[in-house]
Amino acid sequence: ELSEDDIAFSFAPRINAASRMGTPQTAFKMLTAQNKEDAETLSRELEALNTQRKGVVAGMVREARKRMHARYTPEDRVVVLGDTTWKPSLAGLVANSLMGEQGGVVCIWGANGKGELKGSFRSDGSMSVVELCTLAKDAFIEFGGHHASGGFSVTRESVHTLPDVLKDAAKQLAGTSTPKVAQEHDALIGL
């Protein structure tokens, strides 16, 4: 008997680890395996990738937290941190962790295998990520997302000014942005 917790906390992280740490084909092959032996072998590979992901994320969070406390105060509403050694595919996990501690908007970036700078935003809901990025659109190559989270790419030149640009955009939003209120559900349904 499966629950949503089984999927969210057991299956999904392992499937996602394939693309975060390796290639998505590993997860695809496991999900489409024609025999138990192949499925078990690929499942063990996904488990190893997920364990590796946990270690890398923990290291990134420790380093980002140290940098955050050195550069920002608890009153700062926008935090921007990055490193070319950080994996962009893990940036959202790190941003979410720090946002829970700091509040406001946390932006984490890293460099992918091609050397492109990409990252993720997480917001506590007090400021819209989309509105923030729209006001700072010239700083990005591209961006997208929704009220509480988003992703972006940025040039190596623009990344140096990104903290100031986003801080200025946040000041422009102050007083104009209203927190989104979660809507009540219409009905509870089962699978």
PDB file of all heavy atoms in Angstrom, residues 20-57:
ATOM      1  N   ARG A  20      20.032  14.797 -11.356  1.00  0.00           N
ATOM      2  CA  ARG A  20      20.817  15.752 -10.559  1.00  0.00           C
ATOM      3  C   ARG A  20      22.294  15.347 -10.487  1.00  0.00           C
ATOM      4  O   ARG A  20      23.175  16.187 -10.481  1.00  0.00           O
ATOM      5  CB  ARG A  20      20.266  15.854  -9.142  1.00  0.00           C
ATOM      6  CG  ARG A  20      18.903  16.501  -9.048  1.00  0.00           C
ATOM      7  CD  ARG A  20      18.485  16.617  -7.581  1.00  0.00           C
ATOM      8  NE  ARG A  20      17.100  16.936  -7.383  1.00  0.00           N
ATOM      9  CZ  ARG A  20      16.595  18.160  -7.365  1.00  0.00           C
ATOM     10  NH1 ARG A  20      17.397  19.191  -7.560  1.00  0.00           N
ATOM     11  NH2 ARG A  20      15.324  18.356  -7.169  1.00  0.00           N
ATOM     12  N   MET A  21      22.544  14.045 -10.420  1.00  0.00           N
ATOM     13  CA  MET A  21      23.909  13.565 -10.199  1.00  0.00           C
ATOM     14  C   MET A  21      24.472  12.738 -11.353  1.00  0.00           C
ATOM     15  O   MET A  21      25.663  12.525 -11.424  1.00  0.00           O
ATOM     16  CB  MET A  21      23.961  12.717  -8.924  1.00  0.00           C
ATOM     17  CG  MET A  21      23.469  13.417  -7.679  1.00  0.00           C
ATOM     18  SD  MET A  21      24.368  14.937  -7.278  1.00  0.00           S
ATOM     19  CE  MET A  21      25.975  14.276  -6.876  1.00  0.00           C
ATOM     20  N   GLY A  22      23.617  12.246 -12.217  1.00  0.00           N
ATOM     21  CA  GLY A  22      24.061  11.403 -13.320  1.00  0.00           C
ATOM     22  C   GLY A  22      23.299  11.744 -14.582  1.00  0.00           C
ATOM     23  O   GLY A  22      23.307  12.886 -15.018  1.00  0.00           O
ATOM     24  N   THR A  23      22.617  10.751 -15.132  1.00  0.00           N
ATOM     25  CA  THR A  23      21.792  10.993 -16.321  1.00  0.00           C
ATOM     26  C   THR A  23      20.386  10.466 -16.061  1.00  0.00           C
ATOM     27  O   THR A  23      20.214   9.434 -15.396  1.00  0.00           O
ATOM     28  CB  THR A  23      22.359  10.287 -17.572  1.00  0.00           C
ATOM     29  OG1 THR A  23      22.319   8.872 -17.351  1.00  0.00           O
ATOM     30  CG2 THR A  23      23.779  10.726 -17.862  1.00  0.00           C
ATOM     31  N   PRO A  24      19.367  11.137 -16.593  1.00  0.00           N
ATOM     32  CA  PRO A  24      17.988  10.692 -16.367  1.00  0.00           C
ATOM     33  C   PRO A  24      17.698   9.311 -16.960  1.00  0.00           C
ATOM     34  O   PRO A  24      16.758   8.651 -16.541  1.00  0.00           O
ATOM     35  CB  PRO A  24      17.135  11.771 -17.022  1.00  0.00           C
ATOM     36  CG  PRO A  24      18.050  12.650 -17.787  1.00  0.00           C
ATOM     37  CD  PRO A  24      19.445  12.366 -17.362  1.00  0.00           C
ATOM     38  N   GLN A  25      18.518   8.864 -17.896  1.00  0.00           N
ATOM     39  CA  GLN A  25      18.293   7.557 -18.507  1.00  0.00           C
ATOM     40  C   GLN A  25      18.351   6.427 -17.479  1.00  0.00           C
ATOM     41  O   GLN A  25      17.688   5.405 -17.639  1.00  0.00           O
ATOM     42  CB  GLN A  25      19.319   7.294 -19.629  1.00  0.00           C
ATOM     43  CG  GLN A  25      19.056   8.065 -20.894  1.00  0.00           C
ATOM     44  CD  GLN A  25      19.514   9.522 -20.797  1.00  0.00           C
ATOM     45  OE1 GLN A  25      20.189   9.930 -19.863  1.00  0.00           O
ATOM     46  NE2 GLN A  25      19.118  10.317 -21.782  1.00  0.00           N
ATOM     47  N   THR A  26      19.128   6.610 -16.412  1.00  0.00           N
ATOM     48  CA  THR A  26      19.206   5.570 -15.379  1.00  0.00           C
ATOM     49  C   THR A  26      17.839   5.341 -14.758  1.00  0.00           C
ATOM     50  O   THR A  26      17.405   4.202 -14.580  1.00  0.00           O
ATOM     51  CB  THR A  26      20.236   5.956 -14.302  1.00  0.00           C
ATOM     52  OG1 THR A  26      21.488   6.233 -14.923  1.00  0.00           O
ATOM     53  CG2 THR A  26      20.411   4.838 -13.286  1.00  0.00           C
ATOM     54  N   ALA A  27      17.150   6.420 -14.424  1.00  0.00           N
ATOM     55  CA  ALA A  27      15.814   6.293 -13.839  1.00  0.00           C
ATOM     56  C   ALA A  27      14.841   5.710 -14.855  1.00  0.00           C
ATOM     57  O   ALA A  27      14.014   4.847 -14.522  1.00  0.00           O
ATOM     58  CB  ALA A  27      15.326   7.647 -13.342  1.00  0.00           C
ATOM     59  N   PHE A  28      14.929   6.180 -16.083  1.00  0.00           N
ATOM     60  CA  PHE A  28      14.038   5.663 -17.137  1.00  0.00           C
ATOM     61  C   PHE A  28      14.233   4.156 -17.314  1.00  0.00           C
ATOM     62  O   PHE A  28      13.267   3.402 -17.368  1.00  0.00           O
ATOM     63  CB  PHE A  28      14.290   6.404 -18.446  1.00  0.00           C
ATOM     64  CG  PHE A  28      13.487   5.859 -19.594  1.00  0.00           C
ATOM     65  CD1 PHE A  28      12.134   6.151 -19.701  1.00  0.00           C
ATOM     66  CD2 PHE A  28      14.075   5.045 -20.551  1.00  0.00           C
ATOM     67  CE1 PHE A  28      11.378   5.635 -20.748  1.00  0.00           C
ATOM     68  CE2 PHE A  28      13.333   4.533 -21.591  1.00  0.00           C
ATOM     69  CZ  PHE A  28      11.978   4.827 -21.698  1.00  0.00           C
ATOM     70  N   LYS A  29      15.492   3.732 -17.369  1.00  0.00           N
ATOM     71  CA  LYS A  29      15.771   2.304 -17.561  1.00  0.00           C
ATOM     72  C   LYS A  29      15.255   1.481 -16.384  1.00  0.00           C
ATOM     73  O   LYS A  29      14.747   0.376 -16.565  1.00  0.00           O
ATOM     74  CB  LYS A  29      17.270   2.075 -17.747  1.00  0.00           C
ATOM     75  CG  LYS A  29      17.791   2.540 -19.087  1.00  0.00           C
ATOM     76  CD  LYS A  29      19.309   2.358 -19.159  1.00  0.00           C
ATOM     77  CE  LYS A  29      19.874   2.920 -20.440  1.00  0.00           C
ATOM     78  NZ  LYS A  29      21.351   2.859 -20.461  1.00  0.00           N
ATOM     79  N   MET A  30      15.379   2.034 -15.162  1.00  0.00           N
ATOM     80  CA  MET A  30      14.881   1.315 -13.989  1.00  0.00           C
ATOM     81  C   MET A  30      13.354   1.184 -14.051  1.00  0.00           C
ATOM     82  O   MET A  30      12.796   0.121 -13.795  1.00  0.00           O
ATOM     83  CB  MET A  30      15.308   2.028 -12.707  1.00  0.00           C
ATOM     84  CG  MET A  30      15.050   1.238 -11.418  1.00  0.00           C
ATOM     85  SD  MET A  30      13.387   1.378 -10.720  1.00  0.00           S
ATOM     86  CE  MET A  30      13.247   3.115 -10.422  1.00  0.00           C
ATOM     87  N   LEU A  31      12.692   2.271 -14.418  1.00  0.00           N
ATOM     88  CA  LEU A  31      11.228   2.255 -14.462  1.00  0.00           C
ATOM     89  C   LEU A  31      10.685   1.378 -15.591  1.00  0.00           C
ATOM     90  O   LEU A  31       9.550   0.901 -15.520  1.00  0.00           O
ATOM     91  CB  LEU A  31      10.695   3.682 -14.616  1.00  0.00           C
ATOM     92  CG  LEU A  31      10.889   4.584 -13.397  1.00  0.00           C
ATOM     93  CD1 LEU A  31      10.572   6.031 -13.750  1.00  0.00           C
ATOM     94  CD2 LEU A  31      10.034   4.107 -12.229  1.00  0.00           C
ATOM     95  N   THR A  32      11.480   1.140 -16.615  1.00  0.00           N
ATOM     96  CA  THR A  32      11.021   0.341 -17.756  1.00  0.00           C
ATOM     97  C   THR A  32      11.717  -1.022 -17.845  1.00  0.00           C
ATOM     98  O   THR A  32      11.602  -1.704 -18.860  1.00  0.00           O
ATOM     99  CB  THR A  32      11.235   1.115 -19.078  1.00  0.00           C
ATOM    100  OG1 THR A  32      12.625   1.419 -19.217  1.00  0.00           O
ATOM    101  CG2 THR A  32      10.407   2.390 -19.100  1.00  0.00           C
ATOM    102  N   ALA A  33      12.425  -1.392 -16.782  1.00  0.00           N
ATOM    103  CA  ALA A  33      13.139  -2.677 -16.782  1.00  0.00           C
ATOM    104  C   ALA A  33      12.155  -3.826 -17.012  1.00  0.00           C
ATOM    105  O   ALA A  33      11.033  -3.819 -16.511  1.00  0.00           O
ATOM    106  CB  ALA A  33      13.879  -2.867 -15.460  1.00  0.00           C
ATOM    107  N   GLN A  34      12.596  -4.798 -17.778  1.00  0.00           N
ATOM    108  CA  GLN A  34      11.738  -5.934 -18.139  1.00  0.00           C
ATOM    109  C   GLN A  34      11.891  -7.118 -17.193  1.00  0.00           C
ATOM    110  O   GLN A  34      11.133  -8.073 -17.268  1.00  0.00           O
ATOM    111  CB  GLN A  34      12.047  -6.374 -19.576  1.00  0.00           C
ATOM    112  CG  GLN A  34      11.764  -5.311 -20.614  1.00  0.00           C
ATOM    113  CD  GLN A  34      10.289  -4.936 -20.658  1.00  0.00           C
ATOM    114  OE1 GLN A  34       9.427  -5.779 -20.810  1.00  0.00           O
ATOM    115  NE2 GLN A  34      10.011  -3.652 -20.489  1.00  0.00           N
ATOM    116  N   ASN A  35      12.910  -7.058 -16.305  1.00  0.00           N
ATOM    117  CA  ASN A  35      13.072  -8.154 -15.354  1.00  0.00           C
ATOM    118  C   ASN A  35      13.558  -7.610 -14.010  1.00  0.00           C
ATOM    119  O   ASN A  35      14.084  -6.499 -13.917  1.00  0.00           O
ATOM    120  CB  ASN A  35      14.019  -9.236 -15.898  1.00  0.00           C
ATOM    121  CG  ASN A  35      15.406  -8.685 -16.168  1.00  0.00           C
ATOM    122  OD1 ASN A  35      16.107  -8.269 -15.257  1.00  0.00           O
ATOM    123  ND2 ASN A  35      15.795  -8.668 -17.449  1.00  0.00           N
ATOM    124  N   LYS A  36      13.349  -8.418 -12.992  1.00  0.00           N
ATOM    125  CA  LYS A  36      13.635  -8.021 -11.615  1.00  0.00           C
ATOM    126  C   LYS A  36      15.126  -7.735 -11.401  1.00  0.00           C
ATOM    127  O   LYS A  36      15.481  -6.781 -10.699  1.00  0.00           O
ATOM    128  CB  LYS A  36      13.164  -9.121 -10.667  1.00  0.00           C
ATOM    129  CG  LYS A  36      13.315  -8.790  -9.218  1.00  0.00           C
ATOM    130  CD  LYS A  36      12.766  -9.903  -8.347  1.00  0.00           C
ATOM    131  CE  LYS A  36      12.948  -9.560  -6.889  1.00  0.00           C
ATOM    132  NZ  LYS A  36      12.450 -10.586  -5.987  1.00  0.00           N
ATOM    133  N   GLU A  37      15.987  -8.503 -12.005  1.00  0.00           N
ATOM    134  CA  GLU A  37      17.430  -8.337 -11.805  1.00  0.00           C
ATOM    135  C   GLU A  37      17.910  -6.976 -12.315  1.00  0.00           C
ATOM    136  O   GLU A  37      18.666  -6.278 -11.637  1.00  0.00           O
ATOM    137  CB  GLU A  37      18.214  -9.475 -12.497  1.00  0.00           C
ATOM    138  CG  GLU A  37      17.996 -10.853 -11.903  1.00  0.00           C
ATOM    139  CD  GLU A  37      16.655 -11.480 -12.299  1.00  0.00           C
ATOM    140  OE1 GLU A  37      16.108 -11.146 -13.384  1.00  0.00           O
ATOM    141  OE2 GLU A  37      16.144 -12.285 -11.500  1.00  0.00           O
ATOM    142  N   ASP A  38      17.475  -6.619 -13.522  1.00  0.00           N
ATOM    143  CA  ASP A  38      17.853  -5.312 -14.070  1.00  0.00           C
ATOM    144  C   ASP A  38      17.294  -4.185 -13.216  1.00  0.00           C
ATOM    145  O   ASP A  38      17.987  -3.201 -12.927  1.00  0.00           O
ATOM    146  CB  ASP A  38      17.347  -5.154 -15.512  1.00  0.00           C
ATOM    147  CG  ASP A  38      18.105  -6.036 -16.493  1.00  0.00           C
ATOM    148  OD1 ASP A  38      19.194  -6.545 -16.136  1.00  0.00           O
ATOM    149  OD2 ASP A  38      17.609  -6.205 -17.630  1.00  0.00           O
ATOM    150  N   ALA A  39      16.042  -4.331 -12.792  1.00  0.00           N
ATOM    151  CA  ALA A  39      15.412  -3.296 -11.956  1.00  0.00           C
ATOM    152  C   ALA A  39      16.163  -3.136 -10.640  1.00  0.00           C
ATOM    153  O   ALA A  39      16.397  -2.009 -10.177  1.00  0.00           O
ATOM    154  CB  ALA A  39      13.948  -3.641 -11.711  1.00  0.00           C
ATOM    155  N   GLU A  40      16.562  -4.227 -10.029  1.00  0.00           N
ATOM    156  CA  GLU A  40      17.285  -4.156  -8.757  1.00  0.00           C
ATOM    157  C   GLU A  40      18.666  -3.530  -8.931  1.00  0.00           C
ATOM    158  O   GLU A  40      19.105  -2.725  -8.115  1.00  0.00           O
ATOM    159  CB  GLU A  40      17.390  -5.547  -8.131  1.00  0.00           C
ATOM    160  CG  GLU A  40      16.073  -6.018  -7.551  1.00  0.00           C
ATOM    161  CD  GLU A  40      16.129  -7.427  -6.981  1.00  0.00           C
ATOM    162  OE1 GLU A  40      17.132  -8.147  -7.193  1.00  0.00           O
ATOM    163  OE2 GLU A  40      15.137  -7.806  -6.315  1.00  0.00           O
ATOM    164  N   THR A  41      19.354  -3.894 -10.005  1.00  0.00           N
ATOM    165  CA  THR A  41      20.673  -3.308 -10.273  1.00  0.00           C
ATOM    166  C   THR A  41      20.561  -1.798 -10.467  1.00  0.00           C
ATOM    167  O   THR A  41      21.325  -1.026  -9.879  1.00  0.00           O
ATOM    168  CB  THR A  41      21.303  -3.956 -11.533  1.00  0.00           C
ATOM    169  OG1 THR A  41      21.469  -5.352 -11.293  1.00  0.00           O
ATOM    170  CG2 THR A  41      22.648  -3.320 -11.861  1.00  0.00           C
ATOM    171  N   LEU A  42      19.600  -1.379 -11.258  1.00  0.00           N
ATOM    172  CA  LEU A  42      19.413   0.053 -11.508  1.00  0.00           C
ATOM    173  C   LEU A  42      18.910   0.770 -10.255  1.00  0.00           C
ATOM    174  O   LEU A  42      19.280   1.922 -10.002  1.00  0.00           O
ATOM    175  CB  LEU A  42      18.470   0.258 -12.687  1.00  0.00           C
ATOM    176  CG  LEU A  42      19.073  -0.160 -14.032  1.00  0.00           C
ATOM    177  CD1 LEU A  42      17.986  -0.369 -15.076  1.00  0.00           C
ATOM    178  CD2 LEU A  42      20.093   0.863 -14.507  1.00  0.00           C
ATOM    179  N   SER A  43      18.097   0.101  -9.451  1.00  0.00           N
ATOM    180  CA  SER A  43      17.627   0.688  -8.185  1.00  0.00           C
ATOM    181  C   SER A  43      18.803   0.950  -7.246  1.00  0.00           C
ATOM    182  O   SER A  43      18.850   1.992  -6.577  1.00  0.00           O
ATOM    183  CB  SER A  43      16.623  -0.235  -7.496  1.00  0.00           C
ATOM    184  OG  SER A  43      15.444  -0.325  -8.241  1.00  0.00           O
ATOM    185  N   ARG A  44      19.735   0.016  -7.191  1.00  0.00           N
ATOM    186  CA  ARG A  44      20.927   0.218  -6.352  1.00  0.00           C
ATOM    187  C   ARG A  44      21.761   1.393  -6.866  1.00  0.00           C
ATOM    188  O   ARG A  44      22.318   2.172  -6.089  1.00  0.00           O
ATOM    189  CB  ARG A  44      21.760  -1.067  -6.304  1.00  0.00           C
ATOM    190  CG  ARG A  44      21.178  -2.127  -5.385  1.00  0.00           C
ATOM    191  CD  ARG A  44      22.140  -3.281  -5.141  1.00  0.00           C
ATOM    192  NE  ARG A  44      22.414  -4.042  -6.352  1.00  0.00           N
ATOM    193  CZ  ARG A  44      21.680  -5.059  -6.788  1.00  0.00           C
ATOM    194  NH1 ARG A  44      20.609  -5.439  -6.123  1.00  0.00           N
ATOM    195  NH2 ARG A  44      22.002  -5.699  -7.898  1.00  0.00           N
ATOM    196  N   GLU A  45      21.826   1.534  -8.191  1.00  0.00           N
ATOM    197  CA  GLU A  45      22.553   2.664  -8.775  1.00  0.00           C
ATOM    198  C   GLU A  45      21.877   3.991  -8.402  1.00  0.00           C
ATOM    199  O   GLU A  45      22.545   4.961  -8.043  1.00  0.00           O
ATOM    200  CB  GLU A  45      22.625   2.509 -10.296  1.00  0.00           C
ATOM    201  CG  GLU A  45      23.559   3.487 -10.959  1.00  0.00           C
ATOM    202  CD  GLU A  45      23.725   3.224 -12.456  1.00  0.00           C
ATOM    203  OE1 GLU A  45      23.592   2.071 -12.897  1.00  0.00           O
ATOM    204  OE2 GLU A  45      23.994   4.207 -13.176  1.00  0.00           O
ATOM    205  N   LEU A  46      20.542   4.014  -8.459  1.00  0.00           N
ATOM    206  CA  LEU A  46      19.813   5.222  -8.066  1.00  0.00           C
ATOM    207  C   LEU A  46      20.001   5.512  -6.578  1.00  0.00           C
ATOM    208  O   LEU A  46      20.133   6.674  -6.175  1.00  0.00           O
ATOM    209  CB  LEU A  46      18.329   5.090  -8.392  1.00  0.00           C
ATOM    210  CG  LEU A  46      17.949   5.088  -9.865  1.00  0.00           C
ATOM    211  CD1 LEU A  46      16.453   4.869 -10.033  1.00  0.00           C
ATOM    212  CD2 LEU A  46      18.380   6.380 -10.536  1.00  0.00           C
ATOM    213  N   GLU A  47      20.016   4.478  -5.764  1.00  0.00           N
ATOM    214  CA  GLU A  47      20.240   4.654  -4.328  1.00  0.00           C
ATOM    215  C   GLU A  47      21.614   5.261  -4.077  1.00  0.00           C
ATOM    216  O   GLU A  47      21.766   6.175  -3.258  1.00  0.00           O
ATOM    217  CB  GLU A  47      20.105   3.309  -3.594  1.00  0.00           C
ATOM    218  CG  GLU A  47      20.314   3.402  -2.100  1.00  0.00           C
ATOM    219  CD  GLU A  47      19.245   4.214  -1.388  1.00  0.00           C
ATOM    220  OE1 GLU A  47      18.106   4.315  -1.880  1.00  0.00           O
ATOM    221  OE2 GLU A  47      19.548   4.773  -0.319  1.00  0.00           O
ATOM    222  N   ALA A  48      22.622   4.791  -4.792  1.00  0.00           N
ATOM    223  CA  ALA A  48      23.976   5.339  -4.646  1.00  0.00           C
ATOM    224  C   ALA A  48      24.027   6.800  -5.086  1.00  0.00           C
ATOM    225  O   ALA A  48      24.670   7.634  -4.423  1.00  0.00           O
ATOM    226  CB  ALA A  48      24.973   4.502  -5.449  1.00  0.00           C
ATOM    227  N   LEU A  49      23.358   7.118  -6.185  1.00  0.00           N
ATOM    228  CA  LEU A  49      23.317   8.514  -6.643  1.00  0.00           C
ATOM    229  C   LEU A  49      22.603   9.401  -5.635  1.00  0.00           C
ATOM    230  O   LEU A  49      23.026  10.531  -5.373  1.00  0.00           O
ATOM    231  CB  LEU A  49      22.622   8.614  -8.007  1.00  0.00           C
ATOM    232  CG  LEU A  49      23.390   8.073  -9.202  1.00  0.00           C
ATOM    233  CD1 LEU A  49      22.494   8.030 -10.443  1.00  0.00           C
ATOM    234  CD2 LEU A  49      24.635   8.913  -9.469  1.00  0.00           C
ATOM    235  N   ASN A  50      21.522   8.894  -5.033  1.00  0.00           N
ATOM    236  CA  ASN A  50      20.792   9.677  -4.042  1.00  0.00           C
ATOM    237  C   ASN A  50      21.632   9.908  -2.792  1.00  0.00           C
ATOM    238  O   ASN A  50      21.627  10.998  -2.222  1.00  0.00           O
ATOM    239  CB  ASN A  50      19.468   8.989  -3.680  1.00  0.00           C
ATOM    240  CG  ASN A  50      18.573   9.893  -2.897  1.00  0.00           C
ATOM    241  OD1 ASN A  50      18.331  11.040  -3.272  1.00  0.00           O
ATOM    242  ND2 ASN A  50      18.052   9.394  -1.788  1.00  0.00           N
ATOM    243  N   THR A  51      22.369   8.898  -2.370  1.00  0.00           N
ATOM    244  CA  THR A  51      23.261   9.047  -1.217  1.00  0.00           C
ATOM    245  C   THR A  51      24.344  10.074  -1.530  1.00  0.00           C
ATOM    246  O   THR A  51      24.660  10.939  -0.697  1.00  0.00           O
ATOM    247  CB  THR A  51      23.891   7.687  -0.848  1.00  0.00           C
ATOM    248  OG1 THR A  51      22.828   6.779  -0.522  1.00  0.00           O
ATOM    249  CG2 THR A  51      24.844   7.814   0.317  1.00  0.00           C
ATOM    250  N   GLN A  52      24.889  10.006  -2.724  1.00  0.00           N
ATOM    251  CA  GLN A  52      25.892  10.983  -3.153  1.00  0.00           C
ATOM    252  C   GLN A  52      25.284  12.388  -3.172  1.00  0.00           C
ATOM    253  O   GLN A  52      25.894  13.344  -2.698  1.00  0.00           O
ATOM    254  CB  GLN A  52      26.418  10.614  -4.541  1.00  0.00           C
ATOM    255  CG  GLN A  52      27.470  11.558  -5.072  1.00  0.00           C
ATOM    256  CD  GLN A  52      27.857  11.235  -6.520  1.00  0.00           C
ATOM    257  OE1 GLN A  52      27.259  10.388  -7.177  1.00  0.00           O
ATOM    258  NE2 GLN A  52      28.847  11.930  -7.026  1.00  0.00           N
ATOM    259  N   ARG A  53      24.060  12.518  -3.691  1.00  0.00           N
ATOM    260  CA  ARG A  53      23.379  13.816  -3.739  1.00  0.00           C
ATOM    261  C   ARG A  53      23.222  14.400  -2.342  1.00  0.00           C
ATOM    262  O   ARG A  53      23.487  15.572  -2.116  1.00  0.00           O
ATOM    263  CB  ARG A  53      21.995  13.680  -4.389  1.00  0.00           C
ATOM    264  CG  ARG A  53      21.235  14.997  -4.376  1.00  0.00           C
ATOM    265  CD  ARG A  53      19.724  14.863  -4.388  1.00  0.00           C
ATOM    266  NE  ARG A  53      19.114  13.947  -3.488  1.00  0.00           N
ATOM    267  CZ  ARG A  53      18.684  14.244  -2.257  1.00  0.00           C
ATOM    268  NH1 ARG A  53      18.855  15.436  -1.749  1.00  0.00           N
ATOM    269  NH2 ARG A  53      18.086  13.330  -1.522  1.00  0.00           N
ATOM    270  N   LYS A  54      22.815  13.574  -1.381  1.00  0.00           N
ATOM    271  CA  LYS A  54      22.632  14.055  -0.010  1.00  0.00           C
ATOM    272  C   LYS A  54      23.934  14.639   0.543  1.00  0.00           C
ATOM    273  O   LYS A  54      23.926  15.692   1.181  1.00  0.00           O
ATOM    274  CB  LYS A  54      22.161  12.920   0.899  1.00  0.00           C
ATOM    275  CG  LYS A  54      20.737  12.500   0.669  1.00  0.00           C
ATOM    276  CD  LYS A  54      20.406  11.341   1.602  1.00  0.00           C
ATOM    277  CE  LYS A  54      19.052  10.760   1.330  1.00  0.00           C
ATOM    278  NZ  LYS A  54      18.767   9.600   2.200  1.00  0.00           N
ATOM    279  N   GLY A  55      25.038  13.966   0.288  1.00  0.00           N
ATOM    280  CA  GLY A  55      26.330  14.450   0.770  1.00  0.00           C
ATOM    281  C   GLY A  55      26.744  15.759   0.125  1.00  0.00           C
ATOM    282  O   GLY A  55      27.211  16.685   0.799  1.00  0.00           O
ATOM    283  N   VAL A  56      26.552  15.848  -1.191  1.00  0.00           N
ATOM    284  CA  VAL A  56      26.918  17.074  -1.905  1.00  0.00           C
ATOM    285  C   VAL A  56      26.048  18.239  -1.451  1.00  0.00           C
ATOM    286  O   VAL A  56      26.538  19.344  -1.202  1.00  0.00           O
ATOM    287  CB  VAL A  56      26.840  16.875  -3.437  1.00  0.00           C
ATOM    288  CG1 VAL A  56      27.061  18.179  -4.178  1.00  0.00           C
ATOM    289  CG2 VAL A  56      27.855  15.828  -3.890  1.00  0.00           C
ATOM    290  N   VAL A  57      24.743  17.999  -1.311  1.00  0.00           N
ATOM    291  CA  VAL A  57      23.833  19.065  -0.863  1.00  0.00           C
ATOM    292  C   VAL A  57      24.205  19.512   0.548  1.00  0.00           C
ATOM    293  O   VAL A  57      24.248  20.713   0.828  1.00  0.00           O
ATOM    294  CB  VAL A  57      22.356  18.619  -0.932  1.00  0.00           C
ATOM    295  CG1 VAL A  57      21.443  19.605  -0.211  1.00  0.00           C
ATOM    296  CG2 VAL A  57      21.917  18.474  -2.377  1.00  0.00           C
TER     297      VAL A  57
END
